[in-house]
PDB file of all heavy atoms in Angstrom:
ATOM      1  N   THR A1087       6.030   3.540  -1.591  1.00 94.00           N
ATOM      2  CA  THR A1087       5.568   2.337  -0.894  1.00 94.00           C
ATOM      3  C   THR A1087       4.485   1.642  -1.720  1.00 94.00           C
ATOM      4  O   THR A1087       4.026   0.580  -1.338  1.00 94.00           O
ATOM      5  CB  THR A1087       4.968   2.685   0.495  1.00 94.00           C
ATOM      6  OG1 THR A1087       3.964   3.687   0.295  1.00 94.00           O
ATOM      7  CG2 THR A1087       6.032   3.206   1.419  1.00 94.00           C
ATOM      8  N   LYS A1141      -1.880  23.261  -0.656  1.00 85.00           N
ATOM      9  CA  LYS A1141      -0.636  22.802  -1.237  1.00 85.00           C
ATOM     10  C   LYS A1141      -0.121  23.897  -2.196  1.00 85.00           C
ATOM     11  O   LYS A1141      -0.895  24.588  -2.848  1.00 85.00           O
ATOM     12  CB  LYS A1141      -0.872  21.522  -2.041  1.00 85.00           C
ATOM     13  CG  LYS A1141      -1.192  20.317  -1.179  1.00 85.00           C
ATOM     14  CD  LYS A1141       0.082  19.563  -0.822  1.00 85.00           C
ATOM     15  CE  LYS A1141      -0.228  18.295  -0.032  1.00 85.00           C
ATOM     16  NZ  LYS A1141      -0.822  18.560   1.277  1.00 85.00           N
ATOM     17  N   TYR A1171      13.959  13.074   3.075  1.00 88.00           N
ATOM     18  CA  TYR A1171      13.434  11.695   3.186  1.00 88.00           C
ATOM     19  C   TYR A1171      13.439  11.055   1.792  1.00 88.00           C
ATOM     20  O   TYR A1171      13.127  11.704   0.800  1.00 88.00           O
ATOM     21  CB  TYR A1171      12.025  11.709   3.740  1.00 88.00           C
ATOM     22  CG  TYR A1171      11.432  10.331   3.890  1.00 88.00           C
ATOM     23  CD1 TYR A1171      11.870   9.466   4.892  1.00 88.00           C
ATOM     24  CD2 TYR A1171      10.483   9.879   2.998  1.00 88.00           C
ATOM     25  CE1 TYR A1171      11.369   8.194   5.016  1.00 88.00           C
ATOM     26  CE2 TYR A1171       9.958   8.601   3.106  1.00 88.00           C
ATOM     27  CZ  TYR A1171      10.397   7.764   4.122  1.00 88.00           C
ATOM     28  OH  TYR A1171       9.901   6.500   4.227  1.00 88.00           O
ATOM     29  N   ARG A1185      -2.232  13.358  -0.384  1.00 90.00           N
ATOM     30  CA  ARG A1185      -1.500  14.593  -0.658  1.00 90.00           C
ATOM     31  C   ARG A1185      -1.434  14.875  -2.147  1.00 90.00           C
ATOM     32  O   ARG A1185      -1.640  16.003  -2.614  1.00 90.00           O
ATOM     33  CB  ARG A1185      -0.088  14.507  -0.072  1.00 90.00           C
ATOM     34  CG  ARG A1185      -0.094  14.412   1.424  1.00 90.00           C
ATOM     35  CD  ARG A1185       1.056  13.603   1.918  1.00 90.00           C
ATOM     36  NE  ARG A1185       1.031  12.267   1.354  1.00 90.00           N
ATOM     37  CZ  ARG A1185       1.944  11.339   1.570  1.00 90.00           C
ATOM     38  NH1 ARG A1185       2.976  11.612   2.324  1.00 90.00           N
ATOM     39  NH2 ARG A1185       1.863  10.143   1.022  1.00 90.00           N
ATOM     40  N   MET A1447       1.277   8.407  46.340  1.00 93.00           N
ATOM     41  CA  MET A1447       0.437   9.237  45.475  1.00 93.00           C
ATOM     42  C   MET A1447      -0.405   8.424  44.493  1.00 93.00           C
ATOM     43  O   MET A1447      -1.523   8.797  44.180  1.00 93.00           O
ATOM     44  CB  MET A1447       1.311  10.157  44.624  1.00 93.00           C
ATOM     45  CG  MET A1447       1.968  11.263  45.376  1.00 93.00           C
ATOM     46  SD  MET A1447       3.094  12.137  44.279  1.00 93.00           S
ATOM     47  CE  MET A1447       1.993  13.313  43.534  1.00 93.00           C
ATOM     48  N   GLN A1452       1.982   6.623  36.506  1.00 90.00           N
ATOM     49  CA  GLN A1452       0.851   7.497  36.234  1.00 90.00           C
ATOM     50  C   GLN A1452       1.166   8.965  36.479  1.00 90.00           C
ATOM     51  O   GLN A1452       1.899   9.297  37.382  1.00 90.00           O
ATOM     52  CB  GLN A1452      -0.298   7.055  37.134  1.00 90.00           C
ATOM     53  CG  GLN A1452      -1.639   7.611  36.769  1.00 90.00           C
ATOM     54  CD  GLN A1452      -2.716   6.880  37.503  1.00 90.00           C
ATOM     55  OE1 GLN A1452      -2.865   5.686  37.379  1.00 90.00           O
ATOM     56  NE2 GLN A1452      -3.442   7.605  38.339  1.00 90.00           N
ATOM     57  N   GLN A1457      -0.289  16.921  46.313  1.00 91.00           N
ATOM     58  CA  GLN A1457      -1.238  17.412  47.334  1.00 91.00           C
ATOM     59  C   GLN A1457      -0.531  17.498  48.664  1.00 91.00           C
ATOM     60  O   GLN A1457      -0.180  16.484  49.229  1.00 91.00           O
ATOM     61  CB  GLN A1457      -2.448  16.474  47.463  1.00 91.00           C
ATOM     62  CG  GLN A1457      -3.324  16.398  46.225  1.00 91.00           C
ATOM     63  CD  GLN A1457      -4.568  15.567  46.444  1.00 91.00           C
ATOM     64  OE1 GLN A1457      -4.561  14.627  47.228  1.00 91.00           O
ATOM     65  NE2 GLN A1457      -5.647  15.920  45.765  1.00 91.00           N
ATOM     66  N   MET A1524      -0.167   0.520  56.350  1.00 96.00           N
ATOM     67  CA  MET A1524      -1.077   1.338  57.167  1.00 96.00           C
ATOM     68  C   MET A1524      -2.073   0.447  57.872  1.00 96.00           C
ATOM     69  O   MET A1524      -2.408   0.647  59.042  1.00 96.00           O
ATOM     70  CB  MET A1524      -1.792   2.362  56.279  1.00 96.00           C
ATOM     71  CG  MET A1524      -0.884   3.488  55.809  1.00 96.00           C
ATOM     72  SD  MET A1524      -1.729   4.536  54.604  1.00 96.00           S
ATOM     73  CE  MET A1524      -0.601   5.950  54.562  1.00 96.00           C
ATOM     74  N   ARG A1600     -24.734 -11.889  53.808  1.00 85.00           N
ATOM     75  CA  ARG A1600     -23.381 -12.409  54.034  1.00 85.00           C
ATOM     76  C   ARG A1600     -23.500 -13.375  55.213  1.00 85.00           C
ATOM     77  O   ARG A1600     -24.066 -13.035  56.245  1.00 85.00           O
ATOM     78  CB  ARG A1600     -22.431 -11.293  54.416  1.00 85.00           C
ATOM     79  CG  ARG A1600     -22.319 -10.218  53.366  1.00 85.00           C
ATOM     80  CD  ARG A1600     -21.307  -9.176  53.802  1.00 85.00           C
ATOM     81  NE  ARG A1600     -20.993  -8.291  52.689  1.00 85.00           N
ATOM     82  CZ  ARG A1600     -21.447  -7.042  52.612  1.00 85.00           C
ATOM     83  NH1 ARG A1600     -22.200  -6.552  53.554  1.00 85.00           N
ATOM     84  NH2 ARG A1600     -21.115  -6.287  51.599  1.00 85.00           N
ATOM     85  N   ASN A1643     -24.301 -17.742  44.183  1.00 90.00           N
ATOM     86  CA  ASN A1643     -25.325 -17.015  43.419  1.00 90.00           C
ATOM     87  C   ASN A1643     -26.493 -17.959  43.126  1.00 90.00           C
ATOM     88  O   ASN A1643     -26.298 -19.010  42.519  1.00 90.00           O
ATOM     89  CB  ASN A1643     -24.732 -16.463  42.109  1.00 90.00           C
ATOM     90  CG  ASN A1643     -25.686 -15.507  41.413  1.00 90.00           C
ATOM     91  OD1 ASN A1643     -26.703 -15.092  41.960  1.00 90.00           O
ATOM     92  ND2 ASN A1643     -25.356 -15.172  40.158  1.00 90.00           N
TER      93      ASN A1643
ATOM     94  P     C B 630     -14.481  14.325  43.016  1.00 82.79           P
ATOM     95  OP1   C B 630     -14.377  14.698  41.597  1.00 82.79           O
ATOM     96  OP2   C B 630     -14.967  12.979  43.395  1.00 82.79           O
ATOM     97  O5'   C B 630     -13.070  14.547  43.724  1.00 82.79           O
ATOM     98  C5'   C B 630     -12.263  15.657  43.369  1.00 82.79           C
ATOM     99  C4'   C B 630     -10.936  15.548  44.102  1.00 82.79           C
ATOM    100  O4'   C B 630     -11.189  15.422  45.518  1.00 82.79           O
ATOM    101  C3'   C B 630     -10.132  14.291  43.774  1.00 82.79           C
ATOM    102  O3'   C B 630      -9.422  14.410  42.552  1.00 82.79           O
ATOM    103  C2'   C B 630      -9.208  14.228  44.978  1.00 82.79           C
ATOM    104  O2'   C B 630      -8.197  15.208  44.915  1.00 82.79           O
ATOM    105  C1'   C B 630     -10.180  14.621  46.112  1.00 82.79           C
ATOM    106  N1    C B 630     -10.812  13.410  46.700  1.00 82.79           N
ATOM    107  C2    C B 630     -10.025  12.604  47.542  1.00 82.79           C
ATOM    108  O2    C B 630      -8.854  12.936  47.741  1.00 82.79           O
ATOM    109  N3    C B 630     -10.562  11.514  48.119  1.00 82.79           N
ATOM    110  C4    C B 630     -11.834  11.187  47.888  1.00 82.79           C
ATOM    111  N4    C B 630     -12.301  10.090  48.468  1.00 82.79           N
ATOM    112  C5    C B 630     -12.656  11.974  47.019  1.00 82.79           C
ATOM    113  C6    C B 630     -12.114  13.069  46.461  1.00 82.79           C
ATOM    114  P     G B 631      -9.043  13.082  41.745  1.00 82.79           P
ATOM    115  OP1   G B 631      -8.538  13.515  40.430  1.00 82.79           O
ATOM    116  OP2   G B 631     -10.145  12.129  41.840  1.00 82.79           O
ATOM    117  O5'   G B 631      -7.820  12.496  42.584  1.00 82.79           O
ATOM    118  C5'   G B 631      -6.604  13.215  42.654  1.00 82.79           C
ATOM    119  C4'   G B 631      -5.574  12.398  43.405  1.00 82.79           C
ATOM    120  O4'   G B 631      -6.002  12.247  44.788  1.00 82.79           O
ATOM    121  C3'   G B 631      -5.408  10.970  42.925  1.00 82.79           C
ATOM    122  O3'   G B 631      -4.606  10.907  41.772  1.00 82.79           O
ATOM    123  C2'   G B 631      -4.759  10.337  44.154  1.00 82.79           C
ATOM    124  O2'   G B 631      -3.405  10.719  44.259  1.00 82.79           O
ATOM    125  C1'   G B 631      -5.544  10.990  45.301  1.00 82.79           C
ATOM    126  N9    G B 631      -6.719  10.176  45.661  1.00 82.79           N
ATOM    127  C8    G B 631      -7.995  10.284  45.167  1.00 82.79           C
ATOM    128  N7    G B 631      -8.813   9.400  45.673  1.00 82.79           N
ATOM    129  C5    G B 631      -8.021   8.657  46.543  1.00 82.79           C
ATOM    130  C6    G B 631      -8.355   7.536  47.373  1.00 82.79           C
ATOM    131  O6    G B 631      -9.453   6.987  47.500  1.00 82.79           O
ATOM    132  N1    G B 631      -7.257   7.080  48.079  1.00 82.79           N
ATOM    133  C2    G B 631      -5.982   7.609  48.003  1.00 82.79           C
ATOM    134  N2    G B 631      -5.072   7.019  48.747  1.00 82.79           N
ATOM    135  N3    G B 631      -5.660   8.652  47.255  1.00 82.79           N
ATOM    136  C4    G B 631      -6.717   9.114  46.544  1.00 82.79           C
ATOM    137  P     G B 632      -4.777   9.729  40.746  1.00 82.79           P
ATOM    138  OP1   G B 632      -3.747   9.952  39.734  1.00 82.79           O
ATOM    139  OP2   G B 632      -6.205   9.579  40.390  1.00 82.79           O
ATOM    140  O5'   G B 632      -4.309   8.481  41.625  1.00 82.79           O
ATOM    141  C5'   G B 632      -4.821   7.162  41.408  1.00 82.79           C
ATOM    142  C4'   G B 632      -4.805   6.435  42.720  1.00 82.79           C
ATOM    143  O4'   G B 632      -5.655   7.146  43.667  1.00 82.79           O
ATOM    144  C3'   G B 632      -5.334   5.003  42.682  1.00 82.79           C
ATOM    145  O3'   G B 632      -4.261   4.120  42.507  1.00 82.79           O
ATOM    146  C2'   G B 632      -5.977   4.837  44.036  1.00 82.79           C
ATOM    147  O2'   G B 632      -5.024   4.554  45.042  1.00 82.79           O
ATOM    148  C1'   G B 632      -6.529   6.241  44.312  1.00 82.79           C
ATOM    149  N9    G B 632      -7.875   6.479  43.777  1.00 82.79           N
ATOM    150  C8    G B 632      -8.250   7.379  42.807  1.00 82.79           C
ATOM    151  N7    G B 632      -9.515   7.387  42.552  1.00 82.79           N
ATOM    152  C5    G B 632     -10.038   6.419  43.418  1.00 82.79           C
ATOM    153  C6    G B 632     -11.375   5.978  43.603  1.00 82.79           C
ATOM    154  O6    G B 632     -12.396   6.353  43.022  1.00 82.79           O
ATOM    155  N1    G B 632     -11.448   4.986  44.562  1.00 82.79           N
ATOM    156  C2    G B 632     -10.376   4.484  45.283  1.00 82.79           C
ATOM    157  N2    G B 632     -10.656   3.554  46.175  1.00 82.79           N
ATOM    158  N3    G B 632      -9.133   4.898  45.127  1.00 82.79           N
ATOM    159  C4    G B 632      -9.040   5.857  44.190  1.00 82.79           C
ATOM    160  P     U B 639     -16.446  -9.546  44.206  1.00 82.79           P
ATOM    161  OP1   U B 639     -16.809  -8.550  43.188  1.00 82.79           O
ATOM    162  OP2   U B 639     -15.129  -9.528  44.833  1.00 82.79           O
ATOM    163  O5'   U B 639     -17.548  -9.578  45.332  1.00 82.79           O
ATOM    164  C5'   U B 639     -18.940  -9.673  44.979  1.00 82.79           C
ATOM    165  C4'   U B 639     -19.704  -8.844  45.963  1.00 82.79           C
ATOM    166  O4'   U B 639     -19.482  -9.375  47.288  1.00 82.79           O
ATOM    167  C3'   U B 639     -19.270  -7.385  46.038  1.00 82.79           C
ATOM    168  O3'   U B 639     -20.415  -6.564  46.235  1.00 82.79           O
ATOM    169  C2'   U B 639     -18.365  -7.329  47.256  1.00 82.79           C
ATOM    170  O2'   U B 639     -18.357  -6.079  47.888  1.00 82.79           O
ATOM    171  C1'   U B 639     -19.029  -8.364  48.138  1.00 82.79           C
ATOM    172  N1    U B 639     -18.088  -8.962  49.082  1.00 82.79           N
ATOM    173  C2    U B 639     -18.273  -8.642  50.420  1.00 82.79           C
ATOM    174  O2    U B 639     -19.168  -7.908  50.811  1.00 82.79           O
ATOM    175  N3    U B 639     -17.376  -9.191  51.277  1.00 82.79           N
ATOM    176  C4    U B 639     -16.326 -10.027  50.944  1.00 82.79           C
ATOM    177  O4    U B 639     -15.607 -10.472  51.838  1.00 82.79           O
ATOM    178  C5    U B 639     -16.192 -10.317  49.544  1.00 82.79           C
ATOM    179  C6    U B 639     -17.059  -9.768  48.690  1.00 82.79           C
ATOM    180  P     C B 643      -9.609   0.615  54.880  1.00 82.79           P
ATOM    181  OP1   C B 643      -9.397  -0.029  56.198  1.00 82.79           O
ATOM    182  OP2   C B 643     -10.732   1.572  54.701  1.00 82.79           O
ATOM    183  O5'   C B 643      -8.266   1.383  54.466  1.00 82.79           O
ATOM    184  C5'   C B 643      -6.983   0.812  54.705  1.00 82.79           C
ATOM    185  C4'   C B 643      -5.900   1.659  54.094  1.00 82.79           C
ATOM    186  O4'   C B 643      -6.013   1.607  52.629  1.00 82.79           O
ATOM    187  C3'   C B 643      -6.025   3.147  54.387  1.00 82.79           C
ATOM    188  O3'   C B 643      -5.496   3.466  55.666  1.00 82.79           O
ATOM    189  C2'   C B 643      -5.196   3.765  53.248  1.00 82.79           C
ATOM    190  O2'   C B 643      -3.829   3.556  53.448  1.00 82.79           O
ATOM    191  C1'   C B 643      -5.673   2.874  52.084  1.00 82.79           C
ATOM    192  N1    C B 643      -6.860   3.456  51.425  1.00 82.79           N
ATOM    193  C2    C B 643      -6.683   4.453  50.469  1.00 82.79           C
ATOM    194  O2    C B 643      -5.520   4.829  50.212  1.00 82.79           O
ATOM    195  N3    C B 643      -7.747   5.005  49.864  1.00 82.79           N
ATOM    196  C4    C B 643      -8.994   4.592  50.181  1.00 82.79           C
ATOM    197  N4    C B 643     -10.022   5.156  49.576  1.00 82.79           N
ATOM    198  C5    C B 643      -9.207   3.575  51.164  1.00 82.79           C
ATOM    199  C6    C B 643      -8.132   3.033  51.750  1.00 82.79           C
ATOM    200  P     C B 645      -5.516  10.589  56.530  1.00 82.79           P
ATOM    201  OP1   C B 645      -4.719  11.239  57.576  1.00 82.79           O
ATOM    202  OP2   C B 645      -6.792   9.903  56.882  1.00 82.79           O
ATOM    203  O5'   C B 645      -5.871  11.644  55.386  1.00 82.79           O
ATOM    204  C5'   C B 645      -4.858  12.503  54.892  1.00 82.79           C
ATOM    205  C4'   C B 645      -5.427  13.341  53.781  1.00 82.79           C
ATOM    206  O4'   C B 645      -6.014  12.491  52.751  1.00 82.79           O
ATOM    207  C3'   C B 645      -6.574  14.254  54.161  1.00 82.79           C
ATOM    208  O3'   C B 645      -6.125  15.415  54.830  1.00 82.79           O
ATOM    209  C2'   C B 645      -7.165  14.562  52.799  1.00 82.79           C
ATOM    210  O2'   C B 645      -6.363  15.467  52.084  1.00 82.79           O
ATOM    211  C1'   C B 645      -7.079  13.192  52.140  1.00 82.79           C
ATOM    212  N1    C B 645      -8.327  12.427  52.302  1.00 82.79           N
ATOM    213  C2    C B 645      -9.442  12.827  51.531  1.00 82.79           C
ATOM    214  O2    C B 645      -9.323  13.776  50.755  1.00 82.79           O
ATOM    215  N3    C B 645     -10.619  12.170  51.661  1.00 82.79           N
ATOM    216  C4    C B 645     -10.709  11.146  52.508  1.00 82.79           C
ATOM    217  N4    C B 645     -11.891  10.520  52.607  1.00 82.79           N
ATOM    218  C5    C B 645      -9.593  10.711  53.298  1.00 82.79           C
ATOM    219  C6    C B 645      -8.439  11.380  53.171  1.00 82.79           C
ATOM    220  P     C B 683     -25.666 -17.696  31.407  1.00 82.79           P
ATOM    221  OP1   C B 683     -25.683 -19.168  31.571  1.00 82.79           O
ATOM    222  OP2   C B 683     -26.554 -17.032  30.396  1.00 82.79           O
ATOM    223  O5'   C B 683     -25.942 -16.992  32.801  1.00 82.79           O
ATOM    224  C5'   C B 683     -27.259 -16.954  33.322  1.00 82.79           C
ATOM    225  C4'   C B 683     -27.211 -16.475  34.766  1.00 82.79           C
ATOM    226  O4'   C B 683     -26.526 -17.475  35.563  1.00 82.79           O
ATOM    227  C3'   C B 683     -26.401 -15.225  34.988  1.00 82.79           C
ATOM    228  O3'   C B 683     -27.161 -14.072  34.723  1.00 82.79           O
ATOM    229  C2'   C B 683     -26.018 -15.338  36.459  1.00 82.79           C
ATOM    230  O2'   C B 683     -27.097 -14.980  37.288  1.00 82.79           O
ATOM    231  C1'   C B 683     -25.765 -16.853  36.578  1.00 82.79           C
ATOM    232  N1    C B 683     -24.345 -17.215  36.410  1.00 82.79           N
ATOM    233  C2    C B 683     -23.437 -16.914  37.448  1.00 82.79           C
ATOM    234  O2    C B 683     -23.855 -16.323  38.447  1.00 82.79           O
ATOM    235  N3    C B 683     -22.147 -17.265  37.330  1.00 82.79           N
ATOM    236  C4    C B 683     -21.751 -17.898  36.209  1.00 82.79           C
ATOM    237  N4    C B 683     -20.463 -18.224  36.120  1.00 82.79           N
ATOM    238  C5    C B 683     -22.642 -18.210  35.144  1.00 82.79           C
ATOM    239  C6    C B 683     -23.919 -17.876  35.288  1.00 82.79           C
ATOM    240  P     C B 701       5.504  17.103   8.223  1.00 82.79           P
ATOM    241  OP1   C B 701       6.826  17.577   7.936  1.00 82.79           O
ATOM    242  OP2   C B 701       4.412  18.059   8.521  1.00 82.79           O
ATOM    243  O5'   C B 701       5.025  16.099   7.087  1.00 82.79           O
ATOM    244  C5'   C B 701       3.948  15.193   7.312  1.00 82.79           C
ATOM    245  C4'   C B 701       3.110  15.174   6.054  1.00 82.79           C
ATOM    246  O4'   C B 701       2.673  16.523   5.766  1.00 82.79           O
ATOM    247  C3'   C B 701       3.876  14.658   4.852  1.00 82.79           C
ATOM    248  O3'   C B 701       3.190  13.553   4.273  1.00 82.79           O
ATOM    249  C2'   C B 701       3.914  15.849   3.898  1.00 82.79           C
ATOM    250  O2'   C B 701       3.705  15.448   2.589  1.00 82.79           O
ATOM    251  C1'   C B 701       2.732  16.680   4.371  1.00 82.79           C
ATOM    252  N1    C B 701       2.868  18.106   4.089  1.00 82.79           N
ATOM    253  C2    C B 701       1.964  18.690   3.208  1.00 82.79           C
ATOM    254  O2    C B 701       1.063  18.009   2.705  1.00 82.79           O
ATOM    255  N3    C B 701       2.099  20.011   2.935  1.00 82.79           N
ATOM    256  C4    C B 701       3.081  20.708   3.494  1.00 82.79           C
ATOM    257  N4    C B 701       3.190  22.004   3.193  1.00 82.79           N
ATOM    258  C5    C B 701       4.008  20.119   4.388  1.00 82.79           C
ATOM    259  C6    C B 701       3.881  18.820   4.654  1.00 82.79           C
ATOM    260  P     C B 702       3.139  12.134   4.937  1.00 82.79           P
ATOM    261  OP1   C B 702       2.301  11.353   4.022  1.00 82.79           O
ATOM    262  OP2   C B 702       2.805  12.198   6.378  1.00 82.79           O
ATOM    263  O5'   C B 702       4.653  11.666   4.850  1.00 82.79           O
ATOM    264  C5'   C B 702       5.193  11.132   3.639  1.00 82.79           C
ATOM    265  C4'   C B 702       6.176  10.063   3.992  1.00 82.79           C
ATOM    266  O4'   C B 702       7.416  10.711   4.337  1.00 82.79           O
ATOM    267  C3'   C B 702       5.731   9.248   5.227  1.00 82.79           C
ATOM    268  O3'   C B 702       5.393   7.899   4.972  1.00 82.79           O
ATOM    269  C2'   C B 702       6.779   9.541   6.331  1.00 82.79           C
ATOM    270  O2'   C B 702       7.263   8.388   6.922  1.00 82.79           O
ATOM    271  C1'   C B 702       7.863  10.330   5.607  1.00 82.79           C
ATOM    272  N1    C B 702       8.208  11.538   6.384  1.00 82.79           N
ATOM    273  C2    C B 702       9.458  11.635   7.044  1.00 82.79           C
ATOM    274  O2    C B 702      10.226  10.685   6.922  1.00 82.79           O
ATOM    275  N3    C B 702       9.755  12.737   7.723  1.00 82.79           N
ATOM    276  C4    C B 702       8.850  13.736   7.832  1.00 82.79           C
ATOM    277  N4    C B 702       9.198  14.800   8.531  1.00 82.79           N
ATOM    278  C5    C B 702       7.590  13.660   7.188  1.00 82.79           C
ATOM    279  C6    C B 702       7.308  12.556   6.494  1.00 82.79           C
ATOM    280  P     A B 703       5.934   6.838   4.220  1.00 82.79           P
ATOM    281  OP1   A B 703       5.420   5.553   4.666  1.00 82.79           O
ATOM    282  OP2   A B 703       7.373   7.089   4.094  1.00 82.79           O
ATOM    283  O5'   A B 703       5.219   7.125   2.826  1.00 82.79           O
ATOM    284  C5'   A B 703       5.838   6.647   1.657  1.00 82.79           C
ATOM    285  C4'   A B 703       5.255   7.379   0.510  1.00 82.79           C
ATOM    286  O4'   A B 703       5.402   8.808   0.755  1.00 82.79           O
ATOM    287  C3'   A B 703       5.984   7.159  -0.815  1.00 82.79           C
ATOM    288  O3'   A B 703       5.509   5.992  -1.472  1.00 82.79           O
ATOM    289  C2'   A B 703       5.658   8.431  -1.574  1.00 82.79           C
ATOM    290  O2'   A B 703       4.371   8.391  -2.108  1.00 82.79           O
ATOM    291  C1'   A B 703       5.752   9.472  -0.452  1.00 82.79           C
ATOM    292  N9    A B 703       7.089  10.051  -0.326  1.00 82.79           N
ATOM    293  C8    A B 703       8.301   9.431  -0.435  1.00 82.79           C
ATOM    294  N7    A B 703       9.318  10.230  -0.260  1.00 82.79           N
ATOM    295  C5    A B 703       8.748  11.460  -0.020  1.00 82.79           C
ATOM    296  C6    A B 703       9.300  12.730   0.244  1.00 82.79           C
ATOM    297  N6    A B 703      10.595  12.957   0.304  1.00 82.79           N
ATOM    298  N1    A B 703       8.460  13.759   0.447  1.00 82.79           N
ATOM    299  C2    A B 703       7.147  13.505   0.378  1.00 82.79           C
ATOM    300  N3    A B 703       6.493  12.352   0.145  1.00 82.79           N
ATOM    301  C4    A B 703       7.358  11.360  -0.050  1.00 82.79           C
TER     302        A B 703
END
Side-chain angles (χ1 to χ4, degrees):
Chain A
T1087 54
K1141 290 269 184 296
Y1171 180 74
R1185 295 148 302 178
M1447 289 174 87
Q1452 194 167 300
Q1457 294 186 330
M1524 288 172 167
R1600 301 183 168 105
N1643 189 11

